[in-house]
Amino acid sequence: MILMNLIHIQAFLLGGAQVLAKLRSRSRWAPAMAAWRYEQERQLRVLLVLFKQVGGDFGIVNKVMLELARIVGWTGGAVGSCLPTAVLRLVMRQMEDTLITGLERAGHQIAIADWAGWEIQPSINPPKALLELAGARREWPSKWEGLVQFL
């Protein structure tokens, strides 16, 4: 359940990032925003793979909810593009912190569920992968220092 919530938050964030990258394409931090958007797409794909790997059933209802989260993200991105940059950074930083915390908790919850003792032997270790995603998200602002930093 935690993974499904994280997938929806990630889809919302991706939708918002897509719109912000287009509407604020002339900003000094536009290249960093575009790179961040591609990172959001990659992490969403990883979360979907992990969800399926831990036994989640990603049916038609979940696909519709994922698209709905993305559409709400588009709306949020359009509204966010009208905000001053300082407020936009604050909101994005808070969403980022929420997602990092959620990824860490999901990794710990799956580890508590004794993932290693399950019968299947997957190619990806979900607790480790979730903690790596959280670490990558935590390190992202340091990759884009100076004038292009937007988080």
Side-chain angles (χ1 to χ4, degrees), residues 15-26 29-30 33-35 37 77:
Q18 288 172 336
V19 171
L20 282 172
K22 289 201 185 275
L23 294 178
R24 293 242 178 142
S25 62
R26 296 188 185 265
W29 47 268
M33 176 60 99
R37 182 187 66 145

Side-chain angles (χ1 to χ4, degrees), residues 16-51:
Q18 288 172 336
V19 171
L20 282 172
K22 289 201 185 275
L23 294 178
R24 293 242 178 142
S25 62
R26 296 188 185 265
S27 298
R28 287 189 283 183
W29 47 268
M33 176 60 99
W36 190 68
R37 182 187 66 145
Y38 292 126
E39 179 65 16
Q40 302 312 307
E41 291 173 0
R42 185 191 72 79
Q43 288 197 5
L44 180 60
R45 287 191 301 270
V46 169
L47 284 174
L48 289 171
V49 167
L50 289 175
F51 180 72

Side-chain angles (χ1 to χ4, degrees), residues 9-146:
I9 293 169
Q10 185 71 38
F12 171 80
L13 206 54
L14 176 60
Q18 288 172 336
V19 171
L20 282 172
K22 289 201 185 275
L23 294 178
R24 293 242 178 142
S25 62
R26 296 188 185 265
S27 298
R28 287 189 283 183
W29 47 268
M33 176 60 99
W36 190 68
R37 182 187 66 145
Y38 292 126
E39 179 65 16
Q40 302 312 307
E41 291 173 0
R42 185 191 72 79
Q43 288 197 5
L44 180 60
R45 287 191 301 270
V46 169
L47 284 174
L48 289 171
V49 167
L50 289 175
F51 180 72
K52 290 178 184 177
Q53 192 168 5
V54 297
D57 183 25
F58 200 75
I60 188 77
V61 173
N62 293 330
K63 289 178 184 176
V64 169
M65 294 298 291
L66 187 66
E67 286 304 313
L68 183 62
R70 190 173 297 174
I71 291 169
V72 171
W74 289 340
T75 306
V79 170
S81 68
C82 301
L83 295 173
T85 303
V87 174
L88 183 62
R89 284 181 178 168
L90 176 68
V91 170
M92 290 177 68
R93 195 173 307 123
Q94 287 178 341
M95 283 191 296
E96 188 75 10
D97 290 343
T98 301
L99 201 51
I100 288 170
T101 304
L103 288 168
E104 290 172 345
R105 285 186 182 169
H108 294 308
Q109 289 293 326
I110 291 173
I112 288 171
D114 195 21
W115 173 257
W118 290 4
E119 297 292 322
I120 56 174
Q121 293 298 324
S123 59
I124 300 173
N125 182 354
K128 182 180 176 186
L130 287 168
L131 294 176
E132 287 174 359
L133 283 176
R137 292 191 86 80
R138 201 176 297 280
E139 294 170 5
W140 182 260
S142 65
K143 290 182 181 179
W144 297 88
E145 294 294 333

